[in-house]
Amino acid sequence: MFTDPDVAVATNAAFGFSRPEIEKRLGDITVEYTAAIDALLLAAKAPSTSDLNPPLSSDAIFARSFGALADADGRAAAAGWRCTLPALVSVDAEARMAGVAAKRALKDVFLDTYMREDVFCFLMAESNEFDDAVAREGSSDGSATEEEPADGDGGQ
């Protein structure tokens, strides 16, 4: 391992590779991610104005649900590098151990989110609405498949 003390100190300082900084960042990521998921679920529970507005397109349904969830996951994962990279590169043993713990903690945050019953119910409802929108869009643009002729030869 490269052990130039000046480079090691500069690297740890530049990236915030200390145990307290890693733990603080991990806490911030967890709070922000959980808040984003909770806001997504809260928005889904808001009163519907479907009687006043036309049905949403499949693209709009995907963006508000699966897309929004993927964005929250992506932001948390992207922010997590500062917590997990020290496990691989820090010269500080405490920072390396904190980085390993952060990897586990982030994995658990994602796992716990996808094990939540309210998240599961939300995704199932959105999936059903998305499927309905795709079917509606297919039938309205004429791209829906026609049934086979009764003779079963496919018109040949």
Side-chain angles (χ1 to χ4, degrees):
M1 177 181 271
F2 188 76
T3 58
D4 181 334
D6 292 332
V7 172
V9 168
T11 301
N12 282 345
F15 291 107
F17 289 167
S18 71
R19 183 188 50 75
E21 289 166 333
I22 292 167
E23 290 171 351
K24 181 186 180 325
R25 282 194 180 109
L26 177 62
D28 292 346
I29 292 167
T30 301
V31 166
E32 289 172 22
Y33 178 71
T34 302
I37 299 302
D38 290 342
L40 176 62
L41 297 175
L42 185 61
K45 292 178 184 175
S48 174
T49 58
S50 60
D51 294 338
L52 306 174
N53 297 318
L56 292 175
S57 69
S58 59
D59 288 343
I61 294 167
F62 187 89
R64 78 165 182 209
S65 56
F66 299 100
L69 186 59
D71 287 346
D73 288 350
R75 284 190 305 274
W81 78 267
R82 286 188 176 259
C83 297
T84 60
L85 185 63
L88 303 172
V89 300
S90 181
V91 296
D92 178 6
E94 270 193 16
R96 284 194 309 274
M97 290 173 45
V100 170
K103 284 182 183 182
R104 289 185 190 123
L106 285 171
K107 179 189 73 139
D108 289 344
V109 166
F110 292 125
L111 181 62
D112 290 347
T113 296
Y114 284 93
M115 295 293 292
R116 286 173 53 174
E117 184 176 359
D118 56 348
V119 172
F120 175 79
C121 291
F122 166 73
L123 292 175
M124 289 304 297
E126 291 295 294
S127 178
N128 290 336
E129 189 174 347
F130 178 80
D131 290 346
D132 291 346
V134 168
R136 186 177 55 250
E137 291 163 1
S139 65
S140 68
D141 71 7
S143 64
T145 59
E146 295 181 23
E147 290 186 30
E148 294 261 336
D151 64 4
D153 69 0
Q156 304 185 0

